[in-house]
Amino acid sequence: MQKTIDLTMLDNPAWHALNGPQAHLSRVSGSGARYLPEVVPFAAVASPEAESARQLDGLLAPGGPFFLIGELPPLASGWTVRSQLPCLQMISERLPEAPDPAVSIIDLTPAEAAELYDLVQLVQPGYFMPETWRMGRYTGIRENGRLVAVAGKRMRLDGLTELSAICTHPDHTGRGYAGQLVAGLVHRQRAEGITPFLHVAGQNDREITFTLLSP
């Protein structure tokens, strides 16, 4: 039976991930927290208040860009907003059709991290770092030995996991690979009692903003 999940955590997902299932990938100072810089450039504050921003500031290197997700606190001295990306949060409420067994979906290993990084950077640059693979399971599809499509798990909260890095090489689009990978991940997570969610660019009532800043 699916357990009751506190969906209000999605208002501040990075904070709950950094202080929960992914604490081993975090640096925390009071009400400020960030992922290890080699893992992902996401940071978080417990609440959008000046004191939280001050505590986060102590975890940041001068000039190093980072993303805050959700409501911005009053900016700490020296912080600069570089860009903002309104996104929709989407939650999986029912199982999709199971992946086609004729499509060979593989679990990617640490030995394939460089290939994974290169493909994501080609299609979705800026969010994926050399060690983002440490955040969760990543799966892929190969054609003639070449990694052509990937999808995986990024932020992990209690009972919730974000699907991310869903991308296909431009030479191999239109074959339904992304849908197959997402379906495979959703079926696995639901079997584990986890509710998947993801972020997509757009504007809607259920909107959350990724803000790129630098100290």
Side-chain angles (χ1 to χ4, degrees):
M1 179 181 295
Q2 197 80 14
K3 69 177 182 179
T4 301
I5 297 169
D6 180 8
L7 294 179
T8 65
M9 291 188 294
L10 293 177
D11 293 333
N12 196 358
W15 175 259
H16 291 287
L18 287 162
N19 289 273
Q22 293 180 321
H24 63 293
L25 300 176
S26 74
R27 292 177 181 167
V28 179
S29 176
S31 54
R34 66 162 300 167
Y35 282 95
L36 300 176
E38 64 272 20
V39 172
V40 75
F42 290 176
V45 291
S47 58
E49 299 172 354
E51 177 58 21
S52 295
R54 186 192 68 78
Q55 294 188 14
L56 173 60
D57 192 52
L59 298 173
L60 303 170
F66 65 97
F67 289 91
L68 284 179
I69 304 169
E71 186 177 353
L72 276 180
L75 298 185
S77 176
W79 287 14
T80 300
V81 175
R82 295 190 178 185
S83 64
Q84 291 187 300
L85 178 64
C87 291
L88 308 183
Q89 281 183 332
M90 304 181 73
I91 300 171
S92 169
E93 295 183 334
R94 63 181 184 273
L95 278 175
E97 185 176 342
D100 183 349
V103 177
S104 180
I105 296 175
I106 60 172
D107 285 334
L108 300 178
T109 69
E112 296 164 291
E115 281 184 283
L116 170 63
Y117 174 77
D118 289 344
L119 178 54
V120 179
Q121 285 295 96
L122 174 68
V123 179
Q124 299 176 357
Y127 298 92
F128 205 88
M129 304 299 287
E131 296 191 28
T132 302
W133 62 269
R134 294 170 59 189
M135 298 181 76
R137 174 188 289 125
Y138 284 84
T139 61
I141 294 171
R142 291 187 179 276
E143 279 195 8
N144 299 318
R146 181 186 188 188
L147 188 63
V148 299
V150 296
K153 302 191 298 186
R154 188 166 62 181
M155 288 184 286
R156 288 187 285 124
L157 294 66
D158 183 20
L160 293 156
T161 296
E162 179 196 27
L163 302 187
S164 185
I166 303 165
C167 58
T168 304
H169 192 283
D171 294 341
H172 298 267
T173 58
R175 306 177 193 185
Y177 288 162
Q180 294 291 314
L181 291 169
V182 169
L185 288 171
V186 170
H187 274 261
R188 283 188 178 187
Q189 288 185 234
R190 285 294 188 178
E192 297 167 1
I194 303 296
T195 296
F197 71 99
L198 53 76
H199 293 103
V200 295
Q203 295 183 353
N204 194 281
D205 290 339
R206 182 55 179 165
E207 182 178 284
I208 193 162
T209 301
F210 284 61
T211 303
L212 176 63
L213 305 101
S214 61

